[in-house]
Amino acid sequence: MTVPDLLQNARWIEADWAGSPHAGAPAPVFSTTFTLDHDVSDAVLTWTCLGIAEVTLDGHPVHDGVFLPGWTDLRKRLRVMRIELDTLSAGTHTLEAIVGDGWAVGHVANQPRQQGADRVRFLARLCWAGGECVTDDTWRVRPSPIVQNDLIMGEIHDARLADASGPVRTAVLSNFQPPDLHLHTDPVVRRQETFEATECEQAGNQRVFDLGQNIAGRMRIKVRGLRGASVILRHAEMVNPDGSLYLENLRGAKATDVYTLSGNGDEEWEPSFTFHGFRYVSAESIGGDIELLSLTGVALYTDMARIGDFTCSHPLLNQLFHNIVWGQNGNFLEAPTDCPQRDERLGWTGDAQVFAPTAAFLRDVRGFFTKWLTDLRDSQRENGPVPCFAPDIGAFGLKADGGPAWADALILIPWYLYQAYGDLSFLADNYEAMVRYLDYLNREKVLDHIRAHPEKDDWGGFGDWLALDGSGNSFGNTPKDLIGTAFYARDAELMAAMADLLDKPKDAERWRNLHSDVRNAFQHRFLSPEGLPIGATQTSCVLALNFNLVSDAQRPGCVRELVRRIRKDGPKIGTGFVGTPYILQVLEDNGHLDLAYELLEREDFPSWLFPVTHGATTIWERWDGWHPGRGFQSPGMNSFNHYAYGAVGEWMIRSVAGLAPAEPGYRVIHFKPRPGGTLAEAGAELTTPYGRASIHWRKTDSGFEVDLQVPEGATGVLDLPDRDPEQLPSGSCHRLF
Ligand code: BGC
């Protein structure tokens, strides 16, 4: 049955109130009753909405997910929920939906409300053998106690309205023309971990609480007090030196929830249609004393099984790994967002590709990324450009082309997913869009095989975003055409490999030729014969080496330059979003494992461990988000929950612990630990498509020992420094050296 068939006879309904671009409106409750003259065991409910809804049957939620039906590119796609219900007994039943603004009607990024639609709408059909109940003009609508709701601004709930018999009207039939309707088969956002808040500061009637963990989510509170008194909850990631909330980095996001008490004994409340990025929460009572009986932080993110873990003998590195995990938890909510706190929260393509390999190890992200790659294709323009975020909501007046290292997510992420899970459909499903994208680059962005060529592209992308070498800007100093051409070469190389896998030999040849032309062009334009990149930043060297764009003769000079740059006043990392994911691997591959460990274990600014030594529980957007001498970075862009620099997780897993796929999906597992630094032991484990794989190594008085597990159906290769690789069958084994 097609989706329109599943919803046949149902009509879109709406309320006759809407709010304005700058003022929210009460979330409407749409409701109906229906009567069954016998028990029904085959009832199926199909529904969708413009907005996000909680649907209940006889007062019980029908789903346990939140923010349903989620976020898609509404110009192209709206998902439809379908659920088989438990037996309905004979008698009268009430079906209700309370619909919040969500991404369609509420604020998205820094834009006013109502970008997608002026008001929420609802469509549903409940059917069973011999009967149905569909949305139509017999449904009723009333304002709910949720006086205002917004994903970014917060929620205002007046519990006094729950028992007031507010004005009930007839729902209005809507002339809304939906985009294509698709059944929702993706993982949904759910309530995940909870954190009890502990009080850490009191200033007047404002009390500040700490969850101990920076999360994306919201508070569940239990309160007692006078009818009409309100508790105001404000959320922040950090506190100021005086203990008050640091709110400046939220920019336009109010991130404030208000609950007005009904006065009926103990009252428990959690907002329905909002979330915040926060670790600290302040509670302020107005209009009467309120007893705060409990405050619990509820983390929200898309359901993805946790599959991978890492541990080692260095407590700060373990905390770094924890922070990487929470960078993912806080940002994998419907789309891989840059951050969950400020008025942004967009599925930035650059950030996503940088972190994807680590993400695919930590959690089973197949469903999550299948959905988001669909968003990305939906947001790709017909003539080929891939945007810098998906769903593309058109914010910030950005170009259609996301630019180097951002738009390339369309090619890189399916490749990473194929490596992690061995599933060719990631390549097959996206290949046509990739071709359209590369054709666009060739046509509009490339001159003489140089991408982002200043004579062809007046923008060139985001550079090495937030690299510390940027003289006063966010782009870093690495030339944009160097970054562009490096990723263009990488795209062509991966396209050739994908075309081979998809059995497209002609295409493969085309991409191989392109790769070789671009590689040559790169060597001539950006590298001296001795291998010195122009504008030699750490990232220029890293890209040239990591994507193998240097000739054999150029390699030693390029490596020397990279090491010189890192050692200068350091050793210090100077890369931004683009160079950071590869820098340690490049050092390892080119004979500088010691320097890789020096960077990894460094605690002074700038380094991965610097935030950890200052209490971070997530990955910061900037190396200098906060600095002991300078305080907070500019609030215009200072998130404390941005996963990009967490891309180092991949190297920790692959080279510190020593676990990586040697063949897609870990059919052959490469156990290649490269012990170093101060580490006495390390290990990683992963539920691969074949089962559990693990490695744990430790230094002993006499040498080195390692425990390994190879799942059934897979094989392993144990590859230790200065030893011949050893083939391993499935099963567990222990080796002493
Ligand atoms: C976001 C990023 C993003 C960048 C693009 C920022 O505002 O937070 O993480 O990739 O813009 O340059």
Side-chain angles (χ1 to χ4, degrees), residues 147-421:
V147 180
Q148 282 190 28
N149 70 92
D150 189 278
L151 289 170
I152 287 182
M153 298 302 177
E155 188 157 312
I156 302 176
H157 187 113
D158 189 341
R160 292 172 302 181
L161 303 177
D163 32 305
S165 48
V168 178
R169 323 166 196 203
T170 304
V172 179
L173 286 183
S174 170
N175 57 11
F176 171 55
Q177 296 297 323
D180 285 350
L181 299 179
H182 295 264
L183 226 38
H184 191 313
T185 53
D186 310 309
V188 300
V189 177
R190 275 186 226 280
R191 294 176 182 83
Q192 312 276 359
E193 294 85 343
T194 55
F195 298 86
E196 293 310 315
T198 52
E199 186 152 6
C200 55
E201 190 71 34
Q202 179 150 19
N205 59 348
Q206 236 192 68
R207 300 164 65 184
V208 178
F209 297 84
D210 180 5
L211 298 184
Q213 176 61 54
N214 197 9
I215 63 169
R218 55 200 185 197
M219 295 303 296
R220 182 186 300 148
I221 57 170
K222 201 193 252 183
V223 291
R224 190 184 303 138
L226 277 184
R227 181 176 179 82
S230 301
V231 55
I232 303 174
L233 301 173
R234 293 191 178 81
H235 306 76
E237 294 183 290
M238 300 288 261
V239 283
N240 291 306
D242 67 358
S244 61
L245 299 187
Y246 167 68
L247 297 168
E248 285 76 4
N249 70 333
L250 303 182
R251 302 196 313 212
K254 290 204 182 92
T256 303
D257 298 336
V258 182
Y259 179 75
T260 301
L261 280 67
S262 69
N264 300 333
D266 292 357
E267 301 175 42
E268 202 171 8
W269 176 69
E270 179 190 325
S272 298
F273 301 124
T274 194
F275 73 94
H276 314 291
F278 71 109
R279 165 176 172 171
Y280 299 94
V281 58
S282 75
E284 180 185 356
S285 352
I286 54 167
D289 283 345
I290 294 178
E291 224 183 311
L292 294 175
L293 302 170
S294 71
L295 285 106
T296 308
V298 182
L300 301 174
Y301 50 89
T302 297
D303 243 2
M304 304 163 287
R306 180 73 195 272
I307 54 173
D309 207 358
F310 165 93
T311 171
C312 72
S313 53
H314 192 319
L316 295 179
L317 289 181
N318 289 338
Q319 180 67 38
L320 172 65
F321 202 80
H322 167 98
N323 297 0
I324 294 170
V325 170
W326 276 93
Q328 180 172 22
N329 294 352
N331 283 296
F332 275 45
L333 191 157
E334 283 292 312
T337 56
D338 55 334
C339 57
Q341 74 299 97
R342 65 182 178 224
D343 54 350
E344 187 145 3
R345 312 179 185 189
L346 297 176
W348 282 94
T349 46
D351 308 40
Q353 68 84 3
V354 160
F355 188 62
T358 305
F361 172 86
L362 297 175
R363 292 185 176 277
D364 180 350
V365 293
R366 284 176 289 189
F368 176 82
F369 270 123
T370 300
K371 180 264 173 192
W372 184 72
L373 286 166
T374 307
D375 296 336
L376 192 57
R377 292 194 307 275
D378 280 353
S379 294
Q380 180 181 23
R381 302 276 164 91
E382 261 319 294
N383 62 336
V386 174
C388 53
F389 42 72
D392 182 5
I393 49 106
F396 305 122
L398 292 167
K399 312 265 182 191
D401 166 29
W406 267 251
D408 305 301
L410 177 65
I411 292 175
L412 298 166
I413 293 179
W415 180 253
Y416 297 144
L417 297 172
Y418 170 63
Q419 296 303 319
Y421 305 111

Side-chain angles (χ1 to χ4, degrees), residues 29-43:
V29 187
F30 299 101
S31 68
T32 195
T33 53
F34 58 95
T35 304
L36 300 173
D37 55 15
H38 60 277
D39 290 0
V40 163
S41 55
D42 61 350

Side-chain angles (χ1 to χ4, degrees), residues 711-726:
E712 205 56 50
T715 58
V717 178
L718 178 58
D719 184 344
L720 296 175
D722 308 322
R723 291 185 172 272
D724 289 338
E726 178 191 344

